Amino acid sequence: MNKPRLVISSGAGISAESGISTFRDAGGLWENYPVMEVCSADGFRKNPRLVHEFYNARRKDLVDKQPNAAHKILAELEEDFDVYVITQNVDDLHERAGSSKILHLHGELMKLRSVSRPDYVESLDMEHLESCPETKGKNGDYMRPHIVFFQEPVPNMELAAEWVHDADIFVVIGTSLNVYPAAGLLHYVRPGIPIYYIDPNPADITILSPQVHVIKAKATEGMKILEDILRARSPI
């Protein structure tokens, strides 16, 4: 028997419980710089060194952060479900928790890619974190963070929409549903497919009722509740 396809859309709320700050928490500033100076395409063109230094600081902050119970439950659910994780987060906590199918909508913090050849991507190691990797990659190309900057399209949205359309169960966790185009993934869920929305301050999505079941809780607490619900309904 095929496992039910469980598709997850995760946002900053799931990583916040691991101690990772969000843009909202930062009040529009990162390390005392306006977000658009360090997280936009214009900002990178204007001052690539500053942008590299900013993302190196984020990487160093990530090193000692650990997956929390919500990340781990998602990985454990692969025993009974075919789990696909679509995340807005650029950290690697889903990977470290053990999830096997992950799509990063906004890029990956621990990677760099070529400025001139976007398909060329390098993974970073601790050595990179000790210096600013602004100059060149292993192949000689000038590199940039493997991040979708503000002012750039989200290249994985089409695949994400396909994953959502094929879902037997869709879960939204730790997101305000105000960030587009990611928030628009809800519109690709097929009629009749159950949707679970986990957030301590959930957005009003009554337009999708009774398809949506809201769990008003932080990610770790909400995933424990959802795990009980899903295992009770799973035929496996």
Side-chain angles (χ1 to χ4, degrees):
M1 181 181 298
N2 292 332
K3 296 179 181 180
R5 179 169 292 203
L6 174 63
V7 179
I8 312 294
S9 176
S10 73
I14 194 171
S15 292
E17 289 191 77
S18 289
I20 295 178
S21 298
T22 67
F23 285 125
R24 186 176 302 170
D25 294 334
L29 294 174
W30 277 109
E31 298 297 315
N32 298 317
Y33 290 102
V35 166
M36 292 303 286
E37 285 192 12
V38 291
C39 300
S40 71
D42 284 346
F44 184 74
R45 283 189 289 268
K46 176 183 175 182
N47 193 342
R49 175 170 289 277
L50 176 64
V51 173
H52 278 296
E53 289 174 349
F54 166 77
Y55 280 104
N56 254 9
R58 307 279 70 73
R59 294 174 185 122
K60 291 176 182 178
D61 183 58
L62 176 61
V63 168
D64 64 353
K65 300 298 189 290
Q66 299 299 324
N68 60 51
H71 295 105
K72 294 174 182 177
I73 290 170
L74 285 176
E76 291 165 359
L77 284 171
E78 292 192 9
E79 296 176 6
D80 296 333
F81 296 86
D82 190 14
V83 181
Y84 291 75
V85 178
I86 303 164
T87 185
Q88 298 175 50
N89 302 331
V90 298
D91 60 65
D92 59 355
L93 297 183
H94 282 299
E95 285 87 346
R96 284 197 261 154
S99 289
S100 61
K101 292 186 281 287
I102 305 164
L103 185 66
H104 285 269
L105 286 182
H106 297 158
E108 298 178 65
L109 187 58
M110 295 304 294
K111 293 182 178 179
L112 296 172
R113 75 169 181 266
S114 169
V115 171
S116 58
R117 293 185 287 174
D119 291 337
Y120 180 77
V121 177
E122 291 182 4
S123 295
L124 293 170
D125 53 33
M126 285 300 297
E127 182 180 349
H128 283 87
L129 302 187
E130 299 306 319
S131 62
C132 178
E134 180 184 354
T135 52
K136 296 182 179 180
K138 297 173 183 176
N139 70 342
D141 285 4
Y142 285 100
M143 306 297 281
R144 56 163 282 174
H146 188 44
I147 298 290
V148 178
F149 292 139
F150 290 114
Q151 304 168 323
E152 293 181 332
V154 179
N156 283 328
M157 272 303 298
E158 185 174 347
L159 179 56
E162 292 176 8
W163 283 15
V164 173
H165 180 266
D166 292 338
D168 296 312
I169 304 167
F170 184 56
V171 178
V172 178
I173 176 169
T175 174
S176 64
L177 292 176
N178 289 322
V179 179
Y180 283 85
L185 289 173
L186 276 168
H187 301 296
Y188 293 93
V189 181
R190 288 172 290 139
I193 296 299
I195 300 171
Y196 295 90
Y197 179 25
I198 301 170
D199 197 86
N201 300 295
D204 181 6
I205 49 174
T206 52
I207 190 172
L208 294 173
S209 295
Q211 198 169 348
V212 178
H213 310 275
V214 176
I215 300 174
K216 191 174 181 179
K218 290 185 177 181
T220 51
E221 178 188 353
M223 277 306 304
K224 291 174 183 175
I225 295 170
L226 180 62
E227 181 182 26
D228 290 340
I229 293 171
L230 293 180
R231 293 200 185 280
R233 66 177 289 155
S234 174
I236 298 174

